[in-house]
Amino acid sequence: MHNFVDSMGTVLEHYHLSNNLYSITIELLSHCNWDCLYCYFPERVDILPYNIVIEVLNDARKLGAYEVVFTGGEIFTRDDIFLIIEYARNLGFSVVLMTNISLLSDETIKKLSELSISSVSCSLFSIDSHIHNTITQRKGSHEAVMRNLTLLRASGINTIVKMTVLKLNYKEISALQSFCINNGYIFKVDVAVFSKLDGNRHPHTLSLSNDELDSVIEECDNINGYEYYPERDRLEAFVCGQMRIALSINPKGDINPCNRMPFALGNVFSDSICDVWKKSQMLKKFTNAKYKDCTKCTSCSCIKFCVRCPGNAFVEDDGYDNCSTLSEKIAKSRIRVYGNK
């Protein structure tokens, strides 16, 4: 395992140094069979046509990309999903699937195993079925996830369980972590709740209060492997390392720096991702941005505890180079809990 991690670290370092595209995230559609309370899609009607997805995969291959991430919406509501996955695997991509896994079955999981996908990432909000189903607003969703998690484990598919931490479930972190450890799933948590992509802030009504956040921030940081940096190192760091080696395509075809940053650098219905990656001056501006380029960061007491997301700042705070109030809230919680070390 350590050799694999070391090898991947070398691969990522190569992509960073060479400024090559490492990963492309394709949001295949916005439709979903769940209706999660915090979902950031303002509407769920868009779908990328199959031929466009294939063009994007071919272009990503030309750029030397290593990984493709398929997400949605719920990707398994598409009739052609296995054609898409198989095409990507035949091109040699490492394939990551982000899905709620509720629509999987013995047969489909067997197909995924035969295709040697890299991992499946799914959401589980609680071991308590009532809490989970309340968040998804779908009866039976918890039962379906638990059943298919067992099948994924039996198939040997690498499985990541993600928990978005809300007012409704923040007391469930330990129980869910224990479940994942005992069953061999990777466990990740996220305390950030985002506005909808159209700016609607209703999802924030579900986010933790300061006191609630303080009660779980250390536990969440330990789970996610968070490390804080000296102020000088942070100011010289690129704001988003992932954005330097990745692109994202949304269901409307917009080519974005990230699926959390809805700034259209182009659109795959008219533009090639090859041209965007090689020629977009705005993309270069985003990817070369450092913490010191945000005026408030240079004088902010939160800097060494802050993991600033330019996408959050873009959606929530009217500019990618502005202070991200969401990142600042989390950083202030770390200061209260850890002290200003």
Side-chain angles (χ1 to χ4, degrees), residues 46-269:
D46 298 302
I47 182 169
L48 276 177
Y50 176 80
N51 65 305
I52 295 294
V53 176
I54 298 307
E55 287 180 19
V56 170
L57 291 173
N58 288 335
D59 283 347
R61 180 75 287 163
K62 292 174 186 176
L63 289 169
Y66 173 84
E67 174 188 84
V68 59
V69 180
F70 293 123
T71 185
E74 175 44 51
I75 61 176
F76 285 99
T77 61
R78 286 188 66 133
D79 294 334
D80 57 3
I81 184 59
F82 277 99
L83 293 175
I84 292 171
I85 295 171
E86 185 172 3
Y87 191 88
R89 288 295 295 130
N90 286 338
L91 286 178
F93 286 111
S94 169
V95 173
V96 175
L97 305 180
M98 292 188 174
T99 162
N100 65 38
I101 75 171
S102 66
L103 299 176
L104 297 182
S105 64
D106 286 294
E107 181 183 358
T108 54
I109 290 173
K110 182 180 179 181
K111 286 182 181 179
L112 294 178
S113 180
E114 291 171 349
L115 287 167
S116 299
I117 62 167
S118 295
S119 64
V120 168
S121 179
C122 70
S123 293
L124 181 59
F125 302 109
S126 176
I127 292 300
D128 185 314
S129 61
H130 175 72
I131 293 174
H132 177 92
N133 293 344
T134 296
I135 293 172
T136 65
Q137 300 190 90
R138 290 293 184 271
K139 290 182 179 180
S141 61
H142 184 269
E143 179 184 2
V145 170
M146 298 298 280
R147 178 188 67 242
N148 288 325
L149 278 173
T150 300
L151 294 174
L152 286 165
R153 182 184 62 195
S155 73
I157 294 175
N158 186 36
T159 304
I160 303 162
V161 173
K162 297 184 301 182
M163 177 189 190
T164 300
V165 182
L166 310 168
K167 285 182 177 294
L168 295 169
N169 68 342
Y170 75 97
K171 295 181 180 180
E172 304 293 311
I173 297 173
S174 295
L176 192 48
Q177 181 183 21
S178 296
F179 166 78
C180 290
I181 291 173
N182 292 337
N183 289 279
Y185 308 122
I186 298 169
F187 183 50
K188 296 292 182 183
V189 293
D190 193 351
V191 297
V193 178
F194 313 115
S195 295
K196 291 183 180 293
L197 292 177
D198 62 0
N200 184 321
R201 293 182 58 82
H202 175 73
H204 287 281
T205 61
L206 303 166
S207 64
L208 303 183
S209 67
N210 287 340
D211 288 343
E212 291 165 342
L213 181 57
D214 291 353
S215 72
V216 299
I217 189 64
E218 187 169 12
E219 183 178 18
C220 293
D221 282 348
N222 288 337
I223 291 168
N224 291 335
Y226 163 81
E227 296 178 343
Y228 76 89
Y229 294 83
E231 181 177 351
R232 182 180 302 172
D233 292 344
R234 177 67 83 188
L235 287 173
E236 290 298 328
F238 292 108
V239 172
C240 182
Q242 180 66 15
M243 199 159 58
R244 293 176 56 77
I245 55 173
L247 282 176
S248 180
I249 314 298
N250 73 14
K252 295 180 183 293
D254 291 332
I255 307 169
N256 297 322
C258 165
N259 64 343
R260 278 302 309 146
M261 189 167 180
F263 183 100
L265 302 163
N267 188 285
V268 293
F269 287 96

Side-chain angles (χ1 to χ4, degrees), residues 4 15 141 197 199 222 235 278-279 285 287 289 291 315 319-320:
F4 173 76
Y15 276 93
S141 61
L197 292 177
N222 288 337
L235 287 173
K278 294 176 180 178
K279 300 177 182 179
K285 187 174 182 179
T287 57
Y291 277 81
V315 174
Y320 80 98

